[in-house]
Each structure stands twice: as C-alpha cells, then as structure tokens.
Amino acid sequence: MRRAALLAAALVCLTLTACGSGPYALLREQMETAKAEGRVVTENGDVTAGAEVWTAFCEAAQAGETAEVRLADWYDATDSSPARLYFYTLDFDGEVYTLAAEYGNGNGGDPWQDSYTELLSFSYVPSGAAAEEYESCTGYWLANDPELTLEDIRRSETASLESQMVDAHCVYTQRVPKGSGTETKTELP
C-alpha cells in the first residue's frame, strides 16, 4: 500500500512538472507577467524585453527629467542555487537615483532601497568565457562618485578588503552577441 502511494505521488510530481507546474513555474509566470507589464527583463544577464524602456529612462534622466523604470532579473537554477527572480524599481527625481528591490516569491530576503547620485555608463569588450559569446557590452552602474572608472569597479569586484571596495551597483548591461551586427544603442556621456 505504501509503495503504491509513493508511486502515485511520484507520478503526480512528474505530471505537474511536465505540464509546466514544476518548482519554478510560478517564477517563470511572474517573469512573463513582468514582460507584459513593460518591465526591463534580463534572463541570465541577457536583455529579453524592455530595451526601449531602458533607453527612454536614460534619455529622460540625461535631460534632468524625473523618470522611473521597473526591472526584473531572472537567473536559472544551478547546482548550488535555485532559480531566482528579482524585481527592482529605479527612480530618478532629477538629482538622485533611488533603487528599490523586492525579491521574487520563494527567494526570501527583505526589500531594500539605496540612493545614488550618478548613473555611469561604460562600454567594454568582454573577457574570459563571455568573450567567446559577446562582441561588446555596455554596462550601467549606480554610484555616488562621478569620477569612478570601470577599472575601479572591476578591481572592487575582486577586492578582499572593505577599504578596497567601491559603492557601485550594476543595474543594466546590454550585451551584443558575436556576429549579430548590432551596435550598442544606449549610452550616456
């Protein structure tokens, strides 16, 4: 009897997974909803929706106008981490950028908010494994130091001492695949 119950439970789990009701189905559904709502959506680092929304946000901010953009970041499950979906809102009030985050269902964590004075843009050629797949990248970081360089940020990413770290938060990266013939369109001076 117990064996039959276990077999039935396993069959239900397999059926639900095959029908898209697996453990990450709700997160995937939330991501699709985010796309339909006009959020800027990245999946494993690649922008899959809303690039034009990001461009409009950058243009408004560069002109000193108030602006808001809503972001959603999806990361596939790995051996050491479950799939994750994060939601952010980035506001610009004409002087200050405020990034507020609320994590997707099932990921725990508390909402947080940080403010920055600068939205810095850096174009670069990727290195390592990314260089095999991407021709170029343009990244956008929130920071409080207008003199911050990409080298400062990269050095901070591998720093072991807190005194060597910089306060910068990457909010968007446009990656151009090799052979796409696509130019990176959004840039701030």
Side-chain angles (χ1 to χ4, degrees):
M1 180 71 152
R2 181 181 163 138
R3 180 181 244 178
L6 286 175
L7 183 59
L11 185 58
V12 168
C13 286
L14 287 173
T15 302
L16 289 175
T17 301
C19 294
S21 297
Y24 304 119
L26 178 59
L27 291 179
R28 282 270 179 209
E29 185 178 310
Q30 289 175 335
M31 183 183 61
E32 292 305 320
T33 299
K35 288 179 183 180
E37 291 174 346
R39 284 187 186 254
V40 176
V41 176
T42 60
E43 297 179 54
N44 300 311
D46 289 321
V47 177
T48 58
E52 65 286 344
V53 175
W54 179 257
T55 300
F57 172 81
C58 289
E59 289 171 352
Q62 185 177 17
E65 301 168 6
T66 61
E68 177 183 281
V69 65
R70 296 168 63 217
L71 309 157
D73 292 328
W74 169 269
Y75 298 94
D76 285 339
T78 65
D79 291 340
S80 61
S81 176
R84 300 174 319 268
L85 178 60
Y86 302 110
F87 294 100
Y88 304 93
T89 300
L90 178 57
D91 287 308
F92 181 65
D93 68 5
E95 293 183 19
V96 175
Y97 295 90
T98 301
L99 182 66
E102 180 179 323
Y103 295 103
N105 285 347
N107 288 313
D110 293 322
W112 54 265
Q113 179 175 308
D114 286 321
S115 295
Y116 301 89
T117 58
E118 308 296 327
L119 178 62
L120 305 173
S121 171
F122 301 105
S123 293
Y124 57 94
V125 176
S127 59
E132 296 175 22
E133 198 173 341
Y134 299 102
E135 198 169 290
S136 66
C137 300
T138 300
Y140 294 81
W141 282 266
L142 293 169
N144 288 313
D145 179 359
E147 303 300 317
L148 198 63
T149 66
L150 182 58
E151 291 75 24
D152 295 332
I153 293 168
R154 293 291 187 232
R155 195 171 28 256
S156 177
E157 290 172 348
T158 59
S160 58
L161 299 175
E162 190 170 330
S163 63
Q164 297 171 331
M165 296 178 190
V166 297
D167 184 17
H169 186 104
C170 185
V171 289
Y172 183 89
T173 302
Q174 180 67 48
R175 303 190 299 190
V176 178
K178 284 202 172 202
S180 70
T182 304
E183 296 291 322
T184 303
K185 297 177 184 171
T186 309
E187 274 204 51
L188 294 176

